[in-house]
PDB file of all heavy atoms in Angstrom:
ATOM      1  N   CYS A  52      48.004   8.396   1.722  1.00 96.00           N
ATOM      2  CA  CYS A  52      48.919   7.394   1.028  1.00 96.00           C
ATOM      3  C   CYS A  52      48.560   7.110  -0.377  1.00 96.00           C
ATOM      4  O   CYS A  52      49.209   6.458  -1.107  1.00 96.00           O
ATOM      5  CB  CYS A  52      48.852   6.091   1.826  1.00 96.00           C
ATOM      6  SG  CYS A  52      49.447   6.163   3.473  1.00 96.00           S
ATOM      7  N   MET A  54      45.740   5.405  -1.295  1.00 96.00           N
ATOM      8  CA  MET A  54      45.293   4.020  -1.285  1.00 96.00           C
ATOM      9  C   MET A  54      43.827   3.935  -0.827  1.00 96.00           C
ATOM     10  O   MET A  54      43.386   4.959  -0.237  1.00 96.00           O
ATOM     11  CB  MET A  54      46.215   3.044  -0.489  1.00 96.00           C
ATOM     12  CG  MET A  54      46.364   3.431   0.933  1.00 96.00           C
ATOM     13  SD  MET A  54      47.638   2.534   1.766  1.00 96.00           S
ATOM     14  CE  MET A  54      47.268   0.777   1.446  1.00 96.00           C
ATOM     15  N   PRO A  69      52.019  -6.489   2.553  1.00 91.00           N
ATOM     16  CA  PRO A  69      52.369  -5.279   1.866  1.00 91.00           C
ATOM     17  C   PRO A  69      53.772  -5.371   1.278  1.00 91.00           C
ATOM     18  O   PRO A  69      54.679  -5.848   1.967  1.00 91.00           O
ATOM     19  CB  PRO A  69      52.264  -4.196   2.888  1.00 91.00           C
ATOM     20  CG  PRO A  69      52.393  -4.957   4.199  1.00 91.00           C
ATOM     21  CD  PRO A  69      51.926  -6.232   4.027  1.00 91.00           C
ATOM     22  N   SER A  70      53.901  -4.722   0.155  1.00 93.00           N
ATOM     23  CA  SER A  70      55.259  -4.604  -0.479  1.00 93.00           C
ATOM     24  C   SER A  70      55.957  -3.464   0.257  1.00 93.00           C
ATOM     25  O   SER A  70      55.398  -2.714   0.995  1.00 93.00           O
ATOM     26  CB  SER A  70      55.136  -4.188  -1.959  1.00 93.00           C
ATOM     27  OG  SER A  70      54.500  -3.020  -2.158  1.00 93.00           O
ATOM     28  N   VAL A  71      57.297  -3.387  -0.015  1.00 96.00           N
ATOM     29  CA  VAL A  71      58.127  -2.355   0.534  1.00 96.00           C
ATOM     30  C   VAL A  71      57.552  -1.053   0.060  1.00 96.00           C
ATOM     31  O   VAL A  71      57.599  -0.073   0.779  1.00 96.00           O
ATOM     32  CB  VAL A  71      59.661  -2.574   0.247  1.00 96.00           C
ATOM     33  CG1 VAL A  71      60.516  -1.373   0.645  1.00 96.00           C
ATOM     34  CG2 VAL A  71      60.137  -3.869   0.900  1.00 96.00           C
ATOM     35  N   ALA A  72      57.253  -0.963  -1.256  1.00 96.00           N
ATOM     36  CA  ALA A  72      56.736   0.324  -1.762  1.00 96.00           C
ATOM     37  C   ALA A  72      55.499   0.782  -1.036  1.00 96.00           C
ATOM     38  O   ALA A  72      55.288   1.923  -0.737  1.00 96.00           O
ATOM     39  CB  ALA A  72      56.403   0.092  -3.272  1.00 96.00           C
ATOM     40  N   THR A  73      54.569  -0.200  -0.646  1.00 96.00           N
ATOM     41  CA  THR A  73      53.399   0.059   0.021  1.00 96.00           C
ATOM     42  C   THR A  73      53.786   0.608   1.432  1.00 96.00           C
ATOM     43  O   THR A  73      53.265   1.659   1.899  1.00 96.00           O
ATOM     44  CB  THR A  73      52.387  -1.043   0.120  1.00 96.00           C
ATOM     45  OG1 THR A  73      52.041  -1.355  -1.218  1.00 96.00           O
ATOM     46  CG2 THR A  73      51.204  -0.601   0.940  1.00 96.00           C
ATOM     47  N   LEU A  74      54.632  -0.049   2.092  1.00 96.00           N
ATOM     48  CA  LEU A  74      55.065   0.378   3.434  1.00 96.00           C
ATOM     49  C   LEU A  74      55.757   1.786   3.379  1.00 96.00           C
ATOM     50  O   LEU A  74      55.490   2.607   4.226  1.00 96.00           O
ATOM     51  CB  LEU A  74      56.049  -0.650   4.066  1.00 96.00           C
ATOM     52  CG  LEU A  74      55.543  -2.064   4.381  1.00 96.00           C
ATOM     53  CD1 LEU A  74      56.523  -2.927   4.824  1.00 96.00           C
ATOM     54  CD2 LEU A  74      54.303  -1.898   5.486  1.00 96.00           C
ATOM     55  N   GLU A  75      56.462   2.078   2.270  1.00 97.00           N
ATOM     56  CA  GLU A  75      57.050   3.387   2.064  1.00 97.00           C
ATOM     57  C   GLU A  75      55.959   4.467   1.953  1.00 97.00           C
ATOM     58  O   GLU A  75      56.122   5.515   2.578  1.00 97.00           O
ATOM     59  CB  GLU A  75      57.983   3.408   0.890  1.00 97.00           C
ATOM     60  CG  GLU A  75      58.662   4.684   0.702  1.00 97.00           C
ATOM     61  CD  GLU A  75      59.743   5.031   1.726  1.00 97.00           C
ATOM     62  OE1 GLU A  75      60.372   4.060   2.196  1.00 97.00           O
ATOM     63  OE2 GLU A  75      59.795   6.246   2.033  1.00 97.00           O
ATOM     64  N   LYS A  76      54.932   4.186   1.221  1.00 96.00           N
ATOM     65  CA  LYS A  76      53.841   5.062   1.100  1.00 96.00           C
ATOM     66  C   LYS A  76      53.132   5.383   2.491  1.00 96.00           C
ATOM     67  O   LYS A  76      52.784   6.478   2.780  1.00 96.00           O
ATOM     68  CB  LYS A  76      52.726   4.532   0.203  1.00 96.00           C
ATOM     69  CG  LYS A  76      53.075   4.538  -1.308  1.00 96.00           C
ATOM     70  CD  LYS A  76      51.862   4.076  -2.048  1.00 96.00           C
ATOM     71  CE  LYS A  76      52.149   3.881  -3.547  1.00 96.00           C
ATOM     72  NZ  LYS A  76      50.937   3.311  -4.161  1.00 96.00           N
ATOM     73  N   ILE A  77      52.948   4.301   3.217  1.00 97.00           N
ATOM     74  CA  ILE A  77      52.362   4.509   4.496  1.00 97.00           C
ATOM     75  C   ILE A  77      53.271   5.304   5.449  1.00 97.00           C
ATOM     76  O   ILE A  77      52.798   6.212   6.199  1.00 97.00           O
ATOM     77  CB  ILE A  77      52.029   3.081   5.150  1.00 97.00           C
ATOM     78  CG1 ILE A  77      50.907   2.446   4.387  1.00 97.00           C
ATOM     79  CG2 ILE A  77      51.638   3.240   6.619  1.00 97.00           C
ATOM     80  CD1 ILE A  77      50.681   0.918   4.800  1.00 97.00           C
ATOM     81  N   ALA A  78      54.519   4.999   5.480  1.00 97.00           N
ATOM     82  CA  ALA A  78      55.454   5.694   6.265  1.00 97.00           C
ATOM     83  C   ALA A  78      55.406   7.356   5.887  1.00 97.00           C
ATOM     84  O   ALA A  78      55.421   8.191   6.762  1.00 97.00           O
ATOM     85  CB  ALA A  78      56.884   5.292   6.047  1.00 97.00           C
ATOM     86  N   ARG A  79      55.414   7.563   4.553  1.00 96.00           N
ATOM     87  CA  ARG A  79      55.355   8.981   4.138  1.00 96.00           C
ATOM     88  C   ARG A  79      54.000   9.569   4.552  1.00 96.00           C
ATOM     89  O   ARG A  79      53.968  10.782   5.027  1.00 96.00           O
ATOM     90  CB  ARG A  79      55.488   9.118   2.589  1.00 96.00           C
ATOM     91  CG  ARG A  79      56.967   9.021   2.160  1.00 96.00           C
ATOM     92  CD  ARG A  79      57.185   9.443   0.782  1.00 96.00           C
ATOM     93  NE  ARG A  79      56.386   8.834  -0.195  1.00 96.00           N
ATOM     94  CZ  ARG A  79      56.629   7.740  -0.849  1.00 96.00           C
ATOM     95  NH1 ARG A  79      57.743   7.080  -0.647  1.00 96.00           N
ATOM     96  NH2 ARG A  79      55.778   7.224  -1.710  1.00 96.00           N
ATOM     97  N   LEU A  85      60.509   4.989   6.424  1.00 96.00           N
ATOM     98  CA  LEU A  85      60.578   3.499   6.621  1.00 96.00           C
ATOM     99  C   LEU A  85      62.021   3.108   6.872  1.00 96.00           C
ATOM    100  O   LEU A  85      62.894   3.509   6.110  1.00 96.00           O
ATOM    101  CB  LEU A  85      59.999   2.833   5.319  1.00 96.00           C
ATOM    102  CG  LEU A  85      60.102   1.330   5.312  1.00 96.00           C
ATOM    103  CD1 LEU A  85      59.160   0.742   6.415  1.00 96.00           C
ATOM    104  CD2 LEU A  85      59.675   0.730   3.953  1.00 96.00           C
ATOM    105  N   ILE A  87      64.095  -0.497   7.487  1.00 93.00           N
ATOM    106  CA  ILE A  87      64.067  -2.045   7.554  1.00 93.00           C
ATOM    107  C   ILE A  87      65.470  -2.402   7.938  1.00 93.00           C
ATOM    108  O   ILE A  87      66.470  -1.959   7.415  1.00 93.00           O
ATOM    109  CB  ILE A  87      63.632  -2.628   6.186  1.00 93.00           C
ATOM    110  CG1 ILE A  87      62.236  -2.202   5.847  1.00 93.00           C
ATOM    111  CG2 ILE A  87      63.725  -4.202   6.264  1.00 93.00           C
ATOM    112  CD1 ILE A  87      61.809  -2.517   4.501  1.00 93.00           C
TER     113      ILE A  87
END
Side-chain angles (χ1 to χ4, degrees):
C52 299
M54 61 191 303
S70 65
V71 173
T73 298
L74 293 174
E75 183 66 38
K76 284 182 188 179
I77 294 170
R79 281 195 309 270
L85 178 64
I87 299 173

